[in-house]
Amino acid sequence: PEGGGEDDEEQTDDDELGSSSQRDVLGSALSDSEEGDRCGDSDDEVGAEATVAAEERRALLATNRALHSRLARYLQMVRKGAEVAAVNIKSVVDLEARYSRCLGQVGELRDGLLQLRAMQERAASEARHRLADKEA
């Protein structure tokens, strides 16, 4: 798109100059430097200090951008890890529910087995009695 480069340049200028509150602080620092002129500071010394301060600011902004990028990557990694953990928790909950259902079914089947054994025992006992009656 045409004109997009101008916006980027304005953004870069704003980044270098800082926000309006930072410009106000810079303006007050310049007025303080005027007082410094009265105290014996030369324009060359003030200009050198301003250059050094601007270079330090650029270095700090670059460090800030790098740290911000690392933080964004870390937060994405944590979010992905949380999603995986949520899936794992859901999986564990599902497995626990299945286990509980299976354990309930085992109990029901055991009760059924005991009932069938009791019925088989009664039937065997009746058959023994009938056989004993027929033999007698």
Side-chain angles (χ1 to χ4, degrees):
E2 293 181 26
E6 293 174 12
D7 292 338
D8 292 340
E9 289 176 18
E10 290 176 19
Q11 179 68 27
T12 303
D13 291 342
D14 287 344
D15 287 345
E16 289 178 8
L17 294 177
S19 66
S20 61
S21 63
Q22 289 173 335
R23 286 186 216 125
D24 293 341
V25 170
L26 182 60
S28 67
L30 290 176
S31 66
D32 290 343
S33 70
E34 291 172 1
E35 292 176 16
D37 286 341
R38 289 184 222 139
C39 295
D41 288 342
S42 70
D43 288 339
D44 293 335
E45 290 175 357
V46 171
E49 289 176 7
T51 302
V52 168
E55 289 175 11
E56 287 178 1
R57 184 171 188 281
R58 284 188 191 106
L60 290 173
L61 284 173
T63 302
N64 188 28
R65 285 185 194 109
L67 290 173
H68 184 73
S69 175
R70 286 179 58 189
L71 178 62
R73 285 192 307 265
Y74 173 76
L75 291 176
Q76 287 175 348
M77 182 178 63
V78 167
R79 188 180 75 221
K80 288 179 184 177
E83 290 171 358
V84 169
V87 168
N88 288 341
I89 289 171
K90 184 179 182 214
S91 176
V92 167
V93 169
D94 290 343
L95 288 174
E96 287 177 350
R98 284 180 56 199
Y99 176 75
S100 296
R101 282 193 308 265
C102 289
L103 199 55
Q105 289 174 348
V106 166
E108 290 173 8
L109 291 173
R110 184 176 293 140
D111 292 342
L113 177 64
L114 293 175
Q115 288 174 352
L116 289 174
R117 281 186 182 165
M119 286 173 49
Q120 188 264 340
E121 188 62 38
R122 277 184 261 146
S125 177
E126 284 180 25
R128 277 191 223 112
H129 287 295
R130 278 187 263 145
L131 181 62
D133 288 343
K134 283 184 183 179
E135 289 179 355

